[in-house]
Amino acid sequence: SDKLIAIRESADTSEYKLQILNTEQTTQSVLLEIPIQQIDKITLTQYEQNIKIKEYAFVSKKFRQRIYYDRNIVFSFNLIPNKINTITLKYNNNDIHNYFKPDILIWKKDAKITRTEALELTRGTLYGILILYSFICLLLTLFLKAKNYYYYLFYLVSGIFYLFVKNNLGYELLWPDHPVLDIFLKKIMLSIYLITSILFLRGFIKKRIELPELQNVLRYFIYFSVLLIVVSLLAGLLSTPAQKTFIIVQNIFAVVCMMTVIITFIFV
């Protein structure tokens, strides 16, 4: 942000320029990356001696136009060798959600591709191991038919789904045009993950410690949690404005869940 130079600032519209010096003898391909949650609509233009050579008009509802799977917006530019390259950013002040200038990360294109490939490989390995582990746990659960094994299986599967949405795979593969829905489902899956962890830990307490009052409190808390999630899903999915309210509710609820998990773990 400190590299952005203000060209024009008014009550409605702001325009900045970014100047990048290419010291190489060849044309360099770079990517400008902006956090997606900061921008609803923006126009980026590249100039060479006041001649427009490239322009992007980005609207947040068209996420499928992104170059790579990533939570952020990525714009591609070619930098002319041995010259200062000027890129302007123009947006309406109501379309930016940063109190200052937009945050920009500049990548060399090959570095971004390498990072993306490494990230995909890491994700594939992680989820491959988790799926195999879940299958083994499923077989053990079916053979042993112990109640607490079912709780653990629910806990494991909900944890995998939480990682799936937390690592933006749901956003990238299933709902790339709905960022508010993505944030909303992240909160929902976190709540479900914490509830199943309480359910699993409660099974340990029941086997080892005779605390019927605590068992009842945890049971009612789990019932209330499930009810809150159902209400949040119904209201949030049916109404986009309601999603923002329920995101706040889910944030508060996640904190309460986390505290309950810690207290239950102490008893265990």
Side-chain angles (χ1 to χ4, degrees), residues 12-231:
D12 298 327
T13 306
S14 294
E15 187 173 358
Y16 293 90
K17 69 177 178 180
L18 175 66
Q19 294 184 318
I20 309 173
L21 173 62
N22 180 8
T23 59
E24 303 292 332
Q25 301 298 321
T26 57
T27 299
Q28 298 292 310
S29 296
V30 298
L31 301 173
L32 265 61
E33 182 177 353
I34 303 176
I36 191 65
Q37 66 271 21
Q38 290 190 9
I39 296 289
D40 291 332
K41 188 176 181 181
I42 189 171
T43 301
L44 286 84
T45 309
Q46 183 179 8
Y47 291 94
E48 180 186 358
Q49 296 179 348
N50 296 324
I51 299 174
K52 184 190 300 184
I53 59 176
K54 182 174 283 190
E55 183 178 60
Y56 292 100
F58 177 80
V59 180
S60 61
K61 294 181 180 179
K62 298 179 180 178
F63 288 148
R64 297 182 190 277
Q65 296 177 356
R66 292 171 303 168
I67 299 174
Y68 303 107
Y69 278 147
D70 202 296
R71 179 143 184 84
N72 296 333
I73 323 165
V74 180
F75 303 98
S76 177
F77 293 97
N78 293 321
L79 303 184
I80 300 167
N82 296 315
K83 286 187 178 180
I84 294 177
N85 295 262
T86 301
I87 300 170
T88 65
L89 298 85
K90 185 177 181 180
Y91 55 84
N92 189 288
N93 293 332
N94 293 326
D95 293 329
I96 186 170
H97 309 296
N98 188 330
Y99 293 111
F100 306 102
K101 306 169 187 175
D103 292 326
I104 296 178
L105 183 62
I106 303 174
W107 291 89
K108 291 189 70 172
K109 191 171 184 178
D110 54 352
K112 178 65 175 179
I113 293 173
T114 302
R115 179 185 180 276
T116 303
E117 290 174 347
L119 181 61
E120 295 301 325
L121 178 62
T122 303
R123 283 175 170 176
T125 304
L126 171 64
Y127 285 99
I129 293 172
L130 287 176
I131 291 171
L132 177 61
Y133 184 53
S134 301
F135 179 70
I136 294 172
C137 289
L138 175 63
L139 294 180
L140 286 173
T141 304
L142 294 176
F143 285 136
L144 297 175
K145 296 181 179 179
K147 193 173 183 180
N148 216 44
Y149 276 83
Y150 286 103
Y151 292 156
Y152 178 71
L153 185 62
F154 294 153
Y155 167 65
L156 178 63
V157 171
S158 63
I160 293 173
F161 275 109
Y162 172 60
L163 281 178
F164 181 80
V165 296
K166 181 179 181 294
N167 291 333
N168 301 318
L169 288 175
Y171 172 76
E172 294 167 3
L173 302 176
L174 300 178
W175 46 81
D177 298 329
H178 304 285
V180 178
L181 176 64
D182 179 65
I183 298 173
F184 179 72
L185 289 178
K186 278 182 170 66
K187 306 303 180 184
I188 290 289
M189 288 311 304
L190 175 59
S191 299
I192 294 174
Y193 175 55
L194 292 172
I195 290 168
T196 54
S197 66
I198 295 171
L199 195 63
F200 177 49
L201 290 172
R202 178 175 170 269
F204 275 108
I205 293 180
K206 193 171 184 179
K207 294 288 184 181
R208 289 162 175 79
I209 307 171
E210 185 61 30
L211 292 172
E213 291 185 3
L214 178 62
Q215 287 288 325
N216 289 331
V217 170
L218 291 176
R219 183 185 297 110
Y220 295 141
F221 183 81
I222 291 170
Y223 289 158
F224 173 74
S225 304
V226 172
L227 176 63
L228 181 60
I229 286 176
V230 172
V231 173

Side-chain angles (χ1 to χ4, degrees), residues 246-258:
F246 279 101
I247 285 172
I248 298 173
V249 174
Q250 289 297 327
N251 276 332
I252 298 171
F253 178 66
V255 173
V256 176
C257 276
M258 181 63 73

